[in-house]
Amino acid sequence: MAIENPVGVLSRVLGKPQVVQPWSFGDDASKATCLWTRGGLEPLTKTNPVGAALHQRQAALGQSD
């Protein structure tokens, strides 16, 4: 089972999530998304990162999408 939700309140209820970015999986976008998994689901592994350095730089400057 997996629950997906933007960064926010659910962390207080469900505990620490895995936080993923679309650009870590080949999509040229940035919007942090939290995943809580149960029942033996493995955490996602980054594949085909797109512009990771650019997104990190933009986030540091407060310019992410």
Side-chain angles (χ1 to χ4, degrees):
M1 174 178 78
I3 297 174
E4 174 272 329
N5 202 56
V7 175
V9 183
L10 283 181
S11 294
R12 290 186 228 154
V13 177
L14 298 176
K16 186 176 178 179
Q18 177 186 10
V19 180
V20 297
Q21 290 279 356
W23 53 260
S24 296
F25 301 93
D27 190 349
D28 189 21
S30 62
K31 181 179 181 184
T33 300
C34 297
L35 298 173
W36 294 267
T37 57
R38 302 288 188 272
L41 289 176
E42 297 292 323
L44 294 179
T45 302
K46 293 179 181 181
T47 59
N48 195 27
V50 175
L54 172 63
H55 287 287
Q56 290 171 349
R57 203 166 39 248
Q58 286 176 334
L61 296 171
Q63 298 175 349
S64 59
D65 297 344

